Amino acid sequence: MPGHRTKGFCASAAALALCAMLAGCSGSGESVGGGKVVLRYTWWGNPDRAERTEQAVALFEKQHPNIEVQTSFSAYDAYKQKLATQAAGGDAPDVMQLDYRQIDQYASGGVLLDLGKQKAVLRTGEIDAGLLATGKLDGTQYAIPQGRGTETVVYDVKAWKATGVPLPGGSWTWSEWADTMRALAEETGKPGATDPGWSEDSFEVWLRGQGKSLYTEDGGLGFTADDLTRWWTFTDRLRREGVVSPAEQTTQLDGSVENTPLGRGEAMTDANWDAPASGYLALIPSGVALAPMPSGEDGTPGQYFKPSMFLGIGANTAHAKEAARLVDFLVNDPQAANVLGATRGIPVNGSIREEIEPRLKDFDKTIGDYQASLDGTLNDPPQAPPAGDNALQTTFQRDYDQVSYERMSPREAAENYVTEAKAELRS
Amino acid sequence: MTTTTIPGRAKPATAATPKRRPRRERQGAAWVFLSPWVLGAVVLTLLPMAVSLYLSFTDYDLFNPPRWVGLRNYVQMFTEDPRYWRSVVTTLTYVVIAVPLQLALALVVAIALKSMRRGKAFYRSAFYAPSLLGASMSIALVWRAVFNDGGTVDNLFGTGGWVNQPGWALLAVALLTVWQFGAPMVIFLAGLQQIPGELYEAAAVDGAGRWRQFLSVTVPMLSPVLFFNLVLQTIQAFQVFTPAFALSAGKGGPADSTLVYTLYLYDRGFVASHMGYASAMAWVLLIVIGAVTAVLFRTSRSWVFYASEGDR
């Protein structure tokens, strides 16, 4: 017990000390630390993206000696939670990377700064108007799209070639995909792919291939329990056959490439967004290639070009102008674009894209070529998902856990999900 | 630590005895010294608790101002949320597995250590060390690696990784707690050393064997300490979070099998942004822990034996 008391005392003493410090700081203005403006910039991603981001930030600091940028990053799941907590506490970072799914909630919750007021510093003229509009809510520009991304089937080229199964072509339907994965599994004795049943993103591609969508225009659920039952029956059957990853591996997925069956050397392919796929190179040095996502049985494409991520500025920032400068630099500066390449998707700035596309190297070129091959073949992106979607992504994975561990039938789990989703979207 | 502080504490008292200051003045000094704690209690405990109580009657998504909904969160929790009840069952299962196992192990090791002649200090520290480390995230992550598929336990016994199997994952969480039996063990050890040796000698003269001595001397003499440990560990077990969080990467998986109460609370609050609902869950937990503790105290009258009772 005395231990507890000491701890409590230390905590309160530390809190007091902190209060004193904060009071001291706020009196003098927090920007004074060494005469520099300090900006906090946070993002999610992989080590490859981190390295390039650090280089770009260093360039920015060189150009603006009076600004110091403190960066931090983590995997998507952890980032999402941390940012929500910070934002709620009124402590959102000055510059933050945002996902399409976060825009609605963050903008309507007053976390994001109106970027229209920073026009003098933050140029948007060369960004494709349609893409730029995805960062708007009720006519106000809250976030700037940073890149264009689309989903892909990433595969281990060398290992695939060794199996003798023909490499994927320019398009395939879901049943052709399943047959190919089955052939791979037979050749190698390992699953061909990550079980796509866990992923709301993959489900969306499948759904759109049938002309449906995740959400209706007024933010309701765009599909029925029957649709989801059919999807999960399809994936569950493949799992039982050993064609896709077993439950033990699927349950570990958290958005990082390291925890995917492909990243762990347990499968030949993985469905992912194209930009983070660069992270696989560190795990599979012999190289990975990109194939399109499977389409509907009549050839309707389900995947789409999506603003891969956004940059937003905290509404409470003390340095709106400097923060806007950093955003402008990351989106519009040719030098930054050179360093960043396609690590956040193909750049959205038209002239930069034209300038760097021919010069893209290595995996950036793979992504560029992949996107070029799809240009003009895909349908329009859906509107930004409603706020509740953020929680539903996790719910989707949990409910599928019940299927893959054979604790619920696909129908039971699907009905569960639809009930939960409706409650989430209503509130 | 206590041995060093006691003389330090005693000093000012003896120095002050010859010339006593007026009462008011001494009280003032007390308040000055107490103020960090009082401030801490108000700012860090009471205020957040009051806010949380208020939030439990609201719909609050962290971003927009809280909206008053009355008892809706509580109604939803008890009548419309199957996952809530799953978390309740999971937590009770965990408490029933972890607490008795941990106390039994602590008692066995304490008895073994008591009769040891050499190296007692070393073993005592060695067994206590996990309790110091155990609450930390890093150890929980090590545990995850050990029980993961392809982990140490899997390689040795071919278990396929407990943390990935719904039937076993909760046991892996419980084992992490059981492994930290050091704190109750030290308390047991202190209790054991208080039992007068004559009692054992008398029992031996009466022909009691080891087991009989344990049941008729050790258990009743140790019952206050046993009770203390039971209450403390039960309260802690109801609040288990870190091991479940780390072993399931924050998800309570696989298939909700390690979704203990506090983890679901965290999920509702910080993942799904339903702070009002999470607050309501926290208050229900507080009340339940209070009730369970009260029940334990009630039953203790029939099995806890205090030596002083004989004098009354």
Side-chain angles (χ1 to χ4, degrees):
Chain A
M1 284 325 267
H4 287 216
R5 227 169 271 161
T6 329
K7 217 194 256 169
F9 176 79
C10 289
S12 41
L16 277 177
L18 259 178
C19 290
M21 265 167 60
L22 289 177
C25 289
S26 59
S28 53
E30 44 184 324
S31 61
V32 181
K36 277 189 178 183
V37 169
V38 178
L39 292 178
R40 284 187 302 150
Y41 167 35
T42 63
W43 77 92
W44 75 87
N46 54 37
D48 169 55
R49 187 181 287 169
E51 202 175 295
R52 301 207 220 174
T53 307
E54 287 304 331
Q55 285 177 28
V57 164
L59 271 176
F60 176 76
E61 287 176 331
K62 212 183 224 172
Q63 287 185 13
H64 303 273
N66 62 326
I67 303 177
E68 185 190 326
V69 182
Q70 289 173 351
T71 59
S72 76
F73 80 104
S74 48
Y76 179 61
D77 273 6
Y79 178 82
K80 200 166 73 172
Q81 291 173 21
K82 190 175 163 196
L83 190 63
T85 320
Q86 286 178 325
D91 187 35
D94 300 292
V95 177
M96 60 197 118
Q97 184 172 310
L98 295 161
D99 187 70
Y100 206 17
R101 295 167 188 273
Q102 292 170 314
I103 299 291
D104 185 304
Q105 188 171 35
Y106 279 56
S108 61
V111 180
L112 299 175
L113 194 75
D114 176 358
L115 298 182
K117 294 193 177 134
Q118 299 298 326
K119 266 190 187 131
V121 191
L122 176 51
R123 298 156 293 163
T124 54
E126 298 200 54
I127 300 174
D128 173 77
L131 218 50
L132 188 63
T134 54
K136 275 187 184 166
L137 188 81
D138 301 330
T140 307
Q141 190 83 42
Y142 285 106
I144 305 289
Q146 220 181 344
R148 189 178 81 162
T150 185
E151 277 166 287
T152 177
V153 174
V154 197
Y155 60 96
D156 182 338
V157 192
K158 201 176 160 200
W160 187 316
K161 278 183 182 157
T163 62
V165 177
L167 289 176
S171 68
W172 44 5
T173 64
W174 278 101
S175 53
E176 285 165 352
W177 169 82
D179 289 340
T180 312
M181 291 306 125
R182 197 173 285 122
L184 286 174
E186 274 164 17
E187 286 299 323
T188 60
K190 279 194 220 167
T194 306
D195 186 345
W198 78 282
S199 156
E200 199 194 23
D201 290 336
S202 294
F203 173 59
E204 185 181 28
V205 171
W206 180 84
L207 206 56
R208 283 170 53 95
Q210 304 174 16
K212 296 174 187 171
S213 62
L214 273 188
Y215 299 104
T216 58
E217 271 173 30
D218 54 358
L221 211 56
F223 60 93
T224 63
D226 284 346
D227 294 319
L228 187 51
T229 305
R230 279 192 295 127
W231 166 248
W232 277 346
T233 309
F234 170 65
T235 60
D236 187 46
R237 194 169 296 151
L238 292 174
R239 183 191 58 77
R240 284 168 193 265
E241 287 178 46
V243 171
V244 296
S245 59
E248 290 79 17
Q249 285 173 22
T250 314
T251 195
Q252 293 180 44
L253 296 169
D254 61 357
S256 71
V257 293
E258 288 82 1
N259 281 339
T260 60
L262 174 63
R264 288 151 44 106
E266 303 278 353
M268 192 75 70
T269 74
D270 183 47
N272 211 322
W273 293 92
D274 54 3
S278 67
Y280 287 109
L281 284 177
L283 306 162
I284 307 165
S286 61
V288 292
L290 308 179
M293 289 293 282
S295 63
E297 297 308 314
D298 62 354
T300 308
Q303 69 183 109
Y304 54 88
F305 282 121
K306 163 185 122 153
S308 59
M309 53 202 67
F310 296 82
L311 279 173
I313 296 178
N316 293 334
T317 178
H319 314 291
K321 196 180 237 173
E322 288 81 359
R325 274 215 167 94
L326 177 60
V327 174
D328 180 71
F329 176 81
L330 290 168
V331 177
N332 296 322
D333 190 281
Q335 268 184 296
N338 249 342
V339 176
L340 292 171
T343 172
R344 283 181 175 80
I346 298 298
V348 291
N349 180 315
S351 60
I352 286 185
R353 185 165 62 223
E354 273 170 33
E355 192 192 315
I356 79 160
E357 233 157 16
R359 285 195 282 122
L360 284 178
K361 297 184 296 246
D362 309 327
F363 199 71
D364 290 346
K365 181 166 164 41
T366 311
I367 294 177
D369 291 348
Y370 171 64
Q371 290 205 358
S373 78
L374 294 170
D375 249 328
T377 69
L378 303 183
N379 291 333
D380 286 342
Q383 59 181 9
D389 174 69
N390 232 331
L392 286 178
Q393 230 184 341
T394 320
T395 310
F396 194 89
Q397 185 180 7
R398 285 178 172 211
D399 280 331
Y400 187 62
D401 257 6
Q402 303 285 357
V403 178
S404 58
Y405 279 105
E406 303 183 12
R407 297 197 151 194
M408 280 186 193
S409 69
R411 169 149 307 273
E412 283 172 312
E415 272 165 8
N416 233 4
Y417 176 81
V418 169
T419 312
E420 286 175 63
K422 281 183 177 160
E424 194 67 51
L425 294 171
R426 207 178 41 230
S427 57
Chain B
M1 193 172 156
T2 36
T3 46
T4 52
T5 48
I6 283 168
R9 265 187 207 154
K11 242 182 206 166
T14 45
T17 18
K19 204 170 38 170
R20 287 209 155 185
R21 298 208 186 116
R23 212 188 137 138
R24 174 83 39 101
E25 197 178 318
R26 279 186 292 134
Q27 248 185 9
W31 279 111
V32 168
F33 281 107
L34 270 175
S35 61
W37 189 88
V38 171
L39 251 172
V42 172
V43 175
L44 301 174
T45 309
L46 293 178
L47 210 68
M49 276 179 81
V51 172
S52 150
L53 183 61
Y54 162 71
L55 285 180
S56 78
F57 298 108
T58 66
D59 184 8
Y60 177 44
D61 69 353
L62 282 173
F63 296 96
N64 299 298
R67 195 162 47 89
W68 185 265
V69 294
L71 287 173
R72 205 190 77 182
N73 287 329
Y74 292 92
V75 172
Q76 193 186 342
M77 193 186 309
F78 293 131
T79 60
E80 295 164 24
D81 188 351
R83 195 167 261 160
Y84 174 80
W85 288 108
R86 212 176 300 150
S87 78
V88 169
V89 172
T90 307
T91 307
L92 290 176
T93 315
Y94 168 82
V95 170
V96 170
I97 298 174
V99 174
L101 264 180
Q102 190 195 34
L103 290 184
L105 191 62
L107 184 55
V108 168
V109 174
I111 290 173
L113 278 184
K114 193 205 160 200
S115 52
M116 247 178 105
R117 290 177 200 282
R118 281 165 161 221
K120 199 190 249 182
F122 169 76
Y123 282 105
R124 200 163 45 191
S125 319
F127 283 121
Y128 190 69
S131 300
L132 296 175
L133 302 167
S136 73
M137 200 67 182
S138 50
I139 291 292
L141 290 174
V142 169
W143 208 259
R144 179 175 163 79
V146 168
F147 285 101
N148 212 334
D149 71 328
T152 323
V153 171
D154 182 22
N155 288 337
L156 285 176
F157 305 107
T159 55
W162 282 358
V163 294
N164 305 312
Q165 292 172 35
W168 291 98
L170 190 63
L171 188 66
V173 174
L175 281 183
L176 179 52
T177 312
V178 172
W179 179 62
Q180 300 158 38
F181 62 85
M185 179 202 72
V186 167
I187 298 171
F188 275 137
L189 203 54
L192 284 172
Q193 276 157 353
Q194 297 292 317
I195 303 176
E198 304 95 77
L199 290 180
Y200 289 104
E201 283 163 25
V205 168
D206 287 345
R210 279 232 149 152
W211 182 240
R212 190 73 242 177
Q213 286 182 17
F214 173 74
L215 286 181
S216 302
V217 179
T218 311
V219 170
M221 292 303 289
L222 205 59
S223 58
V225 175
L226 196 63
F227 175 64
F228 175 77
N229 271 339
L230 179 69
V231 170
L232 222 61
Q233 297 307 320
T234 306
I235 292 175
Q236 274 182 15
F238 268 102
Q239 301 175 46
V240 62
F241 179 79
T242 317
F245 180 89
L247 260 54
S248 69
K251 289 183 189 135
D256 285 351
S257 60
T258 58
L259 189 71
V260 291
Y261 196 93
T262 50
L263 192 51
Y264 187 51
L265 191 158
Y266 168 83
D267 173 80
R268 290 295 88 192
F270 292 95
V271 181
S273 307
H274 294 309
M275 280 296 164
Y277 193 78
S279 294
M281 280 186 70
W283 278 90
V284 171
L285 180 65
L286 181 78
I287 291 164
V288 168
I289 290 180
V292 168
T293 312
V295 168
L296 283 178
F297 267 93
R298 186 61 61 87
T299 63
S300 75
R301 287 177 198 168
S302 59
W303 64 271
V304 175
F305 169 76
Y306 291 99
S308 58
E309 274 171 14
D311 306 338
R312 267 190 238 148

